[in-house]
Amino acid sequence: MSQACFEEDSQKQPAVGHWKPLMLSKGSKEEPEPECQDPGGDESQSTEQLNVSRLRSSSVEIREKGSEFLKEELHKAQKELKLKDKECERLSKVREQLEQELEELTASLFEEAHKMVREANTKQAASEKQLREARGKIDMLQAEVTALKTLVITSTPSSPNRELHPQLQSPTKAVFRKGHGRNKSTSSAVVAAASQSVTPEPVSHECKEVDSILFAEFQAWKESPTLDKSCSFLDRIYREDVGPCLDFTKQELSELVRAAVEQNTLTIEPVASQTLPVVKVSAVECGGPNGFRSQIVTKCALSGLPRTCKHRIMLGDSGNYYYISPSCRARITAVCNFFTYIRYIQQGLVRQDVELMYWEVMRLRREMSLAKLGFFPSEM
């Protein structure tokens, strides 16, 4: 009964905007179509068909628009994917480049490390070789120092060692070598001594007293020995002894002699009588060969006076010889002896008490003063 009521209601409702049911519910019987229909029913049917066609057209439009939207979204996604692919490709190239640079850097570091190791090994081998050579030289120098110490210790102010001071030997007791016998600064090379025994000189007794100022200056210099003229010890000796002793008439040559003595490049050697130049009117000032006579007199190159010159000097390796008188030779050798002794002290070759070294320096200063005043041994 309820179903019948539902059918009646549906037939009474207007058909505009509603679908006409095509199938009946279960249990209901098909009713024969009425043979005659009213014109209002046809109009509602056409309206329904029109609505259906509109719905169909709108759904087609919706589908087209949806497909276009989806295509656009797909195109955008493809573009973004391409950009991401390019970015990934760029990043992969950067990674490959960094890996390559890292490999090259690692290889260069290893190569540099191997190079440094090789250089270190080479330097170590060279250092070891130099060390061995230095040790050999040290052994040789120690032997020489021991020999020099023996000579220096045996030389005292009262009885000087004649091998250290060849100028003290008489010409008759000196053995001349073939050619020129050379000794740098008179005592850097020892002249061969004669085989005859030398009678020791008598010891002279004299009173001595240490000057406190001079001794203090010497002690200060002894703490750090140097040949620099700026220290008070050497400055005083230069002013009071060395300068006046080497102040000759020929000033230019005197300066050269002083520089050669300071640099230890002065050579003094004796000359035979047959090679001595004699004084003539045309004699050159430096005492070069200008004639021969039986009389052994020539002009001294430092004083400019005619004197008996038994020695000549050479400055460095110039090859120019200058004949000097015995007085000039005594002044030069006195200064050379002083420089030789302070060089021995500077090199640590003198192992004596400070006071003994001081008195030896004072003795050498006295020799310079006496030579400046014109006193010199007869053997000169």
Side-chain angles (χ1 to χ4, degrees), residues 236-251:
R236 179 188 296 273
I237 296 177
Y238 265 93
R239 286 186 290 103
E240 297 178 0
D241 301 312
V242 175
C245 196
L246 295 181
D247 185 16
F248 299 101
T249 304
K250 305 297 181 180
Q251 292 293 326

Side-chain angles (χ1 to χ4, degrees), residues 105-269:
L105 179 61
T106 305
S108 63
L109 288 176
F110 275 108
E111 184 178 356
E112 186 70 20
H114 288 304
K115 183 179 178 182
M116 292 175 64
V117 170
R118 288 195 300 269
E119 291 179 354
N121 292 334
T122 304
K123 290 181 179 180
Q124 182 180 1
S127 301
E128 291 177 354
K129 181 180 178 181
Q130 291 178 356
L131 179 61
R132 290 193 297 269
E133 294 177 353
R135 286 177 177 173
K137 290 180 180 179
I138 289 173
D139 294 338
M140 181 180 65
L141 290 174
Q142 285 178 348
E144 293 180 357
V145 167
T146 303
L148 286 173
K149 283 180 181 179
T150 305
L151 293 175
V152 172
I153 292 174
T154 56
S155 177
T156 61
S158 58
S159 58
N161 192 326
R162 294 182 178 273
E163 292 184 357
L164 283 177
H165 306 284
Q167 71 275 6
L168 300 180
Q169 299 177 0
S170 61
T172 58
K173 293 183 180 180
V175 178
F176 295 100
R177 303 175 189 173
K178 184 178 180 180
H180 299 303
R182 303 179 59 185
N183 56 322
K184 293 247 177 154
S185 294
T186 72
S187 58
S188 60
V190 180
V191 179
S195 59
Q196 293 89 348
S197 60
V198 180
T199 305
E201 298 177 357
V203 179
S204 60
H205 298 282
E206 57 184 357
C207 298
K208 297 184 294 185
E209 183 178 353
V210 175
D211 185 279
S212 59
I213 297 177
L214 298 180
F215 188 70
E217 291 177 352
F218 176 73
Q219 279 185 318
W221 176 83
K222 179 67 175 59
E223 294 296 328
S224 179
T226 178
L227 297 180
D228 188 7
K229 295 182 287 187
S230 61
C231 66
S232 59
F233 169 69
L234 289 181
D235 179 65
R236 179 188 296 273
I237 296 177
Y238 265 93
R239 286 186 290 103
E240 297 178 0
D241 301 312
V242 175
C245 196
L246 295 181
D247 185 16
F248 299 101
T249 304
K250 305 297 181 180
Q251 292 293 326
E252 184 177 356
L253 184 58
S254 299
E255 294 296 329
L256 296 176
V257 169
R258 178 174 175 175
V261 170
E262 293 175 355
Q263 299 170 6
N264 198 22
T265 58
L266 178 72
T267 303
I268 301 179
E269 60 181 22

Side-chain angles (χ1 to χ4, degrees), residues 165 167 186-187 332-341 364 367:
H165 306 284
Q167 71 275 6
T186 72
S187 58
I332 294 174
T333 54
V335 177
C336 289
N337 289 339
F338 169 75
F339 276 103
T340 300
Y341 189 69
L364 295 172
E367 285 187 0

